[in-house]
Amino acid sequence: MTTTSTATAHIPEWLFHQPGDDGIVLGTLGRLVRNLPNHPFPGWSTAESRKAVAEQLLPGLREIRGFKTAQAIEISALDYTQRCHLLCCKQLTPCMAARQEGCHVLLPAKKDTYFMVNEEEHLVAHIGRHGFAVKKVIQDMENIAEKLAEKWNFAYDSRYGYLTSIPTEAGDGMQLYCILHLPALSITGMMGQICKAMEKLHLTFTPYYSDGQDDTGHKYILCSIPGPEDSIWEIAEHFSGVANHLIRREKQVRIRLLQSPGELLRDNIGRAYGMLRHARRLSIQEMRNAFSLIQMATHTGHLEWQDGSDAMLLRISKTELEQALQAGANAEADDAGMRQLAIRRASQIRQFFHQHPHRLFPEDN
Amino acid sequence: MCDVKKCQICGRRATMFLTQIVNGQATDLVLCENCAKEKGLFDPQTLTFAEKFFPEEFKARVDKIVRELSEKKEEESSTLSPQSADCDLLTQCPVCHFTLDQHRATGHMGCPACYDVFARELNPDSMENSENSPAEGHTASPSLLQLKKQLQYAVEQEDYEEAAKLRDLINSLSGKQG
Ligand SMILES: [Zn+2]
Ligand SMILES: [Zn+2]
């Protein structure tokens, strides 16, 4: 597999297709895990045992509809940059990225579902859908679970449910994630408080970009914690309740900022726009934060695009991803290399705005 | 997305995962960001890719931490585990050779069979009173889900004191404290 081109070809549409509404929930992801009996879990196994698991699973997975021609990637064949690319596209999990022989990703042409073999568990399916789609994602997980159950007898115990490498996660082996875009809550400095609240709600809440920066791009992942006590449908109720609460909060704060005499919302949008439009050097973090506000402005109508807002939201997302991929590919560059990249990035983004006719603050006229 | 594991040092949510070979055995190192920084392993990106891109010095550093952690665990289990002394429990899984100490140190299982081997660890009461005897004079305690809903309500009301109590209760019920 080649570097940027292949990774870009794998951009998962579900993640970048902007929902028609407020665009706060970018996507919903389901994680389904299963293990084969009589094999050590991948975190505690030898290359031989991982290969044996892969030999058992891969041919069967190929028989599932849509996976016949799926691209099978062995992780140990990828270099650092290629792993970064898949991570960026959310087609690989961080623990998988560090794995060695016998670990595979099976990526079909339709990229909203993919399988990992020998991730944290023997078999992991990730199912993505755009927007806030908890019910659909659970139904998808149940469908896949049914198909898998026809092919294999997975490790199961009546007391715990499906067995996993971490006992507290045993149960139905399903987990929910959703990716939230929360610019108003972020620029008003409320994220610290919200993170604490989420911890109390027994959910995990982490920045979307896992590259060490705190909250660049104002995007977050809300994640359910699985357990033997509750079924996924019960968990989903709690999960959706919390997600809806966050969505409501984000909307309220946007309105409050818009109505504030200090023009806080429009000031932030204007600054972000000015930076993207004219900066000569942009770091990936600066770009993400500014793009986040431009994304919001496109939703709120503060930025009008001639090509239509849906098309432009998609382009913005893809540009953001491409920049992240470039940055990942240059992760080991020295200072001069990073400076060059920042200059090139700024120039590409100025060009982006130049190529797509638009109007900032149409409400002013 | 293995985010729900706990730091081996402080028990908070772990963000760094590493499988190291120490003395020929694979050992999991699971740390939160704070503890990792304290131990001198600051860059999460580096850690994530550590298996492949490990400079020797870094590896030595990690070996040392793993050793310290396992020594600490041994101390703990020798001082405060009356169970291991008096019963004939297996301390190693015959299928995958994962040990009880490793389970205690990482919270993980080595293979599906470990669930039977370490059953008593998972559910200490199960051997003594395995029959689900109905509690006398008590009404059924609220389910985990009910508690979570109460918790959600408390947070919505920004009643953090109540929320903290509920959270502790939920944590203890779901058996997630170390
Ligand atoms: Zn810690
Ligand atoms: Zn075992």
Side-chain angles (χ1 to χ4, degrees):
Chain A
M1 124 177 212
T2 55
T3 53
T4 318
S5 57
T6 314
T8 312
H10 275 299
I11 290 176
E13 291 291 329
W14 68 269
L15 191 49
F16 295 105
H17 183 106
Q18 300 284 341
D21 55 14
D22 40 49
I24 292 174
V25 182
L26 299 182
T28 310
L29 186 70
R31 175 181 167 92
L32 171 73
V33 306
R34 292 288 184 265
N35 285 291
L36 295 173
N38 305 320
H39 289 277
F41 296 124
W44 177 247
S45 63
T46 59
E48 280 64 43
S49 130
R50 288 194 297 271
K51 280 177 194 160
V53 167
E55 272 165 29
Q56 266 198 55
L57 293 176
L58 285 172
L61 293 174
R62 287 254 183 235
E63 290 165 11
I64 291 174
R65 229 179 120 214
F67 283 84
K68 198 172 172 186
T69 57
Q71 187 186 5
I73 301 168
E74 179 157 15
I75 299 305
S76 57
L78 301 181
D79 64 21
Y80 178 87
T81 307
Q82 292 166 325
R83 294 179 197 214
C84 280
H85 285 171
L86 288 172
L87 267 177
C88 241
C89 297
K90 297 286 159 199
Q91 307 215 299
L92 195 63
T93 52
C95 36
M96 190 69 174
R99 290 233 180 271
Q100 293 300 318
E101 284 156 280
C103 303
H104 303 258
V105 182
L106 206 57
L107 282 175
K110 196 168 167 276
K111 298 159 200 99
D112 49 7
T113 299
Y114 65 98
F115 290 111
M116 286 176 279
V117 172
N118 288 319
E119 194 236 30
E120 281 284 286
E121 317 294 340
H122 293 143
L123 179 56
V124 176
H126 274 193
I127 298 139
R129 278 185 176 261
H130 55 86
F132 194 35
V134 169
K135 266 187 196 159
K136 279 184 189 154
V137 162
I138 297 178
Q139 283 161 356
D140 289 345
M141 282 197 280
E142 287 178 337
N143 283 338
I144 290 195
E146 213 172 288
K147 284 177 194 157
L148 297 176
E150 288 166 11
K151 296 180 186 296
W152 295 282
N153 285 318
F154 293 108
Y156 183 85
D157 182 295
S158 55
R159 285 163 296 177
Y160 311 108
Y162 287 98
L163 303 181
T164 51
S165 60
I166 306 174
T168 49
E169 292 186 0
D172 49 18
M174 293 180 189
Q175 214 173 340
L176 287 166
Y177 297 79
C178 75
I179 299 157
L180 295 149
H181 181 214
L182 305 171
L185 291 169
S186 302
I187 60 178
T188 48
M190 291 170 80
M191 290 322 297
Q193 207 188 330
I194 288 174
C195 288
K196 275 187 208 145
M198 290 303 119
E199 198 186 314
K200 289 180 176 144
L201 286 171
H202 210 64
L203 293 168
T204 63
F205 190 65
T206 47
Y208 172 74
Y209 292 106
S210 48
D211 49 9
Q213 297 299 322
D214 276 354
D215 62 343
T216 57
H218 313 139
K219 296 183 179 82
Y220 294 84
I221 301 181
L222 182 70
C223 165
S224 71
I225 298 175
E229 322 283 334
D230 304 317
S231 79
I232 189 71
W233 288 104
E234 289 169 316
I235 288 172
E237 200 184 323
H238 174 64
F239 181 84
S240 303
V242 173
N244 277 318
H245 183 64
L246 282 171
I247 295 167
R248 271 200 309 279
R249 271 287 179 101
E250 168 71 21
K251 283 183 184 165
Q252 282 164 1
V253 175
R254 284 184 190 183
I255 292 166
R256 222 172 59 213
L257 287 177
L258 199 57
Q259 290 168 338
S260 81
E263 283 227 75
L264 250 168
L265 193 73
R266 286 172 19 119
D267 181 58
N268 272 283
I269 294 170
R271 282 163 188 267
Y273 176 83
M275 184 162 81
L276 293 173
R277 203 58 223 273
H278 300 293
R280 257 48 194 173
R281 256 163 70 172
L282 274 176
S283 73
I284 186 81
Q285 286 80 15
E286 285 170 330
M287 187 211 73
R288 276 178 190 157
N289 286 338
F291 260 27
S292 157
L293 294 168
I294 292 305
Q295 255 173 321
M296 178 180 64
T298 304
H299 277 295
T300 53
H302 291 103
L303 188 58
E304 231 175 50
W305 299 89
Q306 215 173 66
D307 305 348
S309 60
D310 280 354
M312 285 315 294
L313 284 165
L314 195 63
R315 274 177 201 279
I316 290 169
S317 302
K318 288 197 171 178
T319 307
E320 188 175 315
L321 180 74
E322 278 157 17
Q323 292 299 328
L325 294 180
Q326 282 184 19
N330 288 275
E332 285 140 0
D334 56 8
D335 282 358
M338 293 305 280
R339 211 177 307 131
Q340 260 334 98
L341 184 62
I343 291 170
R344 201 166 74 224
R345 177 179 299 123
S347 146
Q348 283 171 357
I349 287 166
R350 289 199 306 276
Q351 218 177 345
F352 174 92
F353 279 89
H354 187 72
Q355 282 168 351
H356 301 287
H358 57 276
R359 202 150 62 108
L360 184 67
F361 301 141
E363 67 276 16
D364 282 352
N365 307 325
Chain B
M1 302 203 179
C2 25
D3 344 60
V4 247
K5 279 187 239 162
K6 289 180 175 183
C7 172
Q8 287 168 7
I9 297 174
C10 72
R12 274 191 290 254
R13 196 173 64 79
T15 49
M16 293 173 196
F17 310 93
L18 194 61
T19 306
Q20 265 301 101
I21 311 260
V22 180
N23 302 330
Q25 292 206 309
T27 310
D28 271 329
L29 186 60
V30 180
L31 299 173
C32 75
E33 201 164 339
N34 280 341
C35 293
K37 274 184 185 156
E38 223 165 87
K39 295 279 174 194
L41 312 166
F42 2 83
D43 183 359
Q45 198 73 11
T46 319
L47 251 186
T48 308
F49 293 100
E51 281 188 36
K52 190 164 168 87
F53 309 95
F54 241 5
E56 279 307 301
E57 310 83 320
F58 194 63
K59 184 176 179 304
R61 176 86 193 121
V62 172
D63 285 353
K64 184 165 171 285
I65 294 167
V66 171
R67 236 182 357 257
E68 281 169 7
L69 277 174
S70 58
E71 275 163 21
K72 198 176 131 219
K73 286 290 159 189
E74 258 166 44
E75 247 173 60
E76 268 173 28
S77 55
S78 63
T79 49
L80 50 94
S81 90
Q83 275 178 5
S84 49
D86 65 6
C87 62
D88 55 350
L89 278 181
L90 280 175
T91 54
Q92 188 172 39
C93 171
V95 177
C96 72
H97 310 297
F98 202 68
T99 66
L100 184 59
D101 285 342
Q102 280 166 329
H103 166 64
R104 285 181 181 160
T106 61
H108 283 213
M109 291 297 192
C111 77
C114 288
Y115 276 79
D116 285 327
V117 180
F118 306 130
R120 186 178 256 199
E121 284 286 303
L122 284 179
N123 199 356
D125 305 332
S126 64
M127 309 280 175
E128 281 86 35
N129 39 8
S130 56
E131 301 309 313
N132 30 353
S133 52
E136 290 161 39
H138 279 293
T139 48
S141 54
S143 79
L144 207 53
L145 196 73
Q146 279 169 330
L147 285 172
K148 284 181 189 172
K149 280 182 187 160
Q150 285 174 22
L151 177 54
Q152 186 178 336
Y153 181 75
V155 172
E156 273 177 29
Q157 300 303 308
E158 298 182 353
D159 181 355
Y160 292 121
E161 211 173 307
E162 175 69 13
K165 275 185 216 154
L166 287 164
R167 181 207 43 200
D168 292 345
L169 190 56
I170 290 171
N171 283 344
S172 65
L173 281 177
S174 46
K176 289 199 174 180
Q177 82 283 46

